[in-house]
Amino acid sequence: MELSNILFPNLNKTVDDVLAQYPARTLKEGAKVTRLGPSPTGFIHLGNLYGAFVDERLAHQSGGTFYLRIEDTDDKRYVEGAVETIINSLRFFGINFDEGAMLDGEKGIYGPYTQSLRGEIYQAFARKLIEEGKAYPCFLTEEEIQEIRDEQEALKLNPGIYGKWAKHRDLSLEEVKAKIDAGMPYVIRLKSDGNLDLPDDEIRRIEVMDGIRGKLSMPENNLDVVILKSTGIPTYHFAHVIDDHLMGTTHVVRGEEWLSTLPIHIELFEKLGWEAPIYCHTGQLMKIDEEGNKRKLSKRKDPELSLDYYRNLGYHPEAVREYLLTILNSNYEEWRIENPDADINEFEFTTEKMSNSGTLFDLQKLNDVSKDVLLKIDAAKLCTFLKGWSEEFKPELSYIFEDMDYLEKVLDIGRHDNKPRKDHVYASQMVENISYFFDESFKREDEYPAEALADKSTILEKYLETYNHGDSQEEWFGKIRDIADSLGYALRPKDFKKNPDDYKGHVGHVSEVIRIALMGRKQSPDVWEIQQILGEERTIGRIKAEI
């Protein structure tokens, strides 16, 4: 008790005070409580979304709670506005929190949900461990720690403070007082019970049931890890254990890079007398690079790791969610085939169906999934989505949204055929696809076919002479065939191919001249249908401009 009073002379909050503030959650059977605990660095990436999607599904499909906790104990990494970026970015992709840090403050009774505001809570539990002889003050300097690292490296031993290198583990009260009176800075370290110097068959192993990987067996922790820094700020190890217990977290979803620290966290839960949540260690997000090698997605090399990449291009959040489920649960695609029109939330997500090795992220497959998803979203909703994206990222495209009924017809073209068109992947590409429908962005991108170039003006003049906006599709194409025949073009491509010297080209070359005059492109949906949307005035105006 005397040692704890020396180390925490101004701490008035006790463990009992803290525990009284955090009542156990009242949950229905099977309900899960999950959390996202990002650092406010300003960079929100695909891995955050991947993990948040798992958290959200586990909580919401079980009738539980999903909350946001800001883990900002490393003040050097804090970026102004980062919390807003996290919330807004995840909200865009349909990830919403039930409680925790919010844009307008905090929601919930288990706060503060920002770790930098919970200093006294962590110190109260550190003092408890000191009083129970489970932690101790350590006065090792940075120079001494570096010397220990160098020695361990030379001996090819695991780095860290343990065994003979834990030099201040058993200091007497008088020795601690003397060092504090001398003004020596100190940290608080966990007094680990592990001893990995024992023969293998005598080393205690911990067994943990991982929500994704199943039963894990690992040597117990032997490191005297820092739990409180010299500033009184907790380390991740200590803070997350305390917060997950107090906030009633049942499942912790995190990357496999944290597996090596699991023994530390289990020991902390044991020493504090609490049951650990179920840890779910996800596989790393991987990609196939240009050389055909499988590697981890890199912040430095891969722009697609950042969520800004998808927002800037304008991927629809439903498409991203759909794709994520295909890589999160191995049985999702089979379910989708059996339930093509079902709401995505009807799928029963489970951690047992997640990969425990590297998860391959395939941008091309995302694009393919996106085409299918966008096809199922009605044109009116696509208009609204496109307008929202444009207002945020491309305000100069405002002319596209002056007539929303017109835009809806444009976006709906070819989507209800027997073999519907799957042209659209994301917003910026969608805008490019439909640019020829608007005079402000219309331009001729392709050259006229060489076979009909000499007759271009004649073809367009004859087309204009016979044009009737009220013609049916059959009547319209019949007139094109008449023009082609009158100018010496084969009415069937195979006739031209068989006897190329007998014709200038075929009817397809004549049609292509009209298509390029109207759309500026060789490839487009059906020309007659496009003309119906363009309207008579715009159609005739474009033909005249090319004559």
Side-chain angles (χ1 to χ4, degrees), residues 338-391:
E338 295 173 355
N339 303 275
D341 300 317
D343 187 290
I344 194 173
N345 293 321
E346 294 177 24
F347 173 72
E348 186 178 349
F349 174 83
T350 62
T351 55
E352 290 81 2
K353 292 291 185 180
M354 290 181 68
S355 170
N356 59 17
S357 59
T359 301
L360 185 63
F361 181 81
D362 184 346
L363 197 57
Q364 185 54 54
K365 186 171 181 181
L366 167 61
N367 291 342
D368 291 340
V369 168
S370 186
K371 289 177 182 179
D372 289 330
V373 170
L374 292 184
L375 189 62
K376 294 178 182 178
I377 299 173
D378 69 59
K381 289 182 178 178
L382 275 185
C383 287
T384 302
F385 166 71
L386 193 61
K387 187 172 188 289
W389 171 82
S390 174
E391 288 171 348

Side-chain angles (χ1 to χ4, degrees), residues 228-340:
L228 279 189
K229 304 172 191 177
S230 58
T231 55
I233 295 173
T235 58
Y236 166 78
H237 302 305
F238 196 49
H240 99 269
V241 164
I242 291 171
D243 291 344
D244 282 339
H245 174 75
L246 295 179
M247 296 178 184
T249 310
T250 64
H251 290 69
V252 173
V253 178
R254 61 186 190 181
E256 67 178 6
E257 65 271 17
W258 291 103
L259 268 172
S260 62
T261 64
L262 187 56
I264 295 171
H265 303 150
I266 295 301
E267 182 172 10
L268 279 166
F269 274 106
E270 288 178 351
K271 280 188 160 39
L272 289 164
W274 300 330
E275 182 180 349
I278 296 174
Y279 284 95
C280 307
H281 291 91
T282 61
Q284 291 182 329
L285 285 175
M286 313 289 284
K287 72 174 287 186
I288 303 295
D289 64 17
E290 295 75 14
E291 287 75 41
N293 299 315
K294 191 175 180 180
R295 63 166 174 79
K296 181 183 175 183
L297 275 173
S298 161
K299 180 178 177 180
R300 183 172 56 86
K301 297 178 182 178
D302 304 310
E304 67 267 33
L305 183 61
S306 171
L307 288 193
D308 284 344
Y309 176 86
Y310 306 95
R311 295 194 65 192
N312 290 338
L313 286 176
Y315 278 89
H316 198 286
E318 287 186 25
V320 176
R321 286 170 64 86
E322 184 84 13
Y323 174 67
L324 282 177
L325 269 179
T326 69
I327 61 175
L328 278 168
N329 263 192
S330 58
N331 60 329
Y332 179 74
E333 290 183 87
E334 180 182 342
W335 177 86
R336 176 53 79 195
I337 291 170
E338 295 173 355
N339 303 275

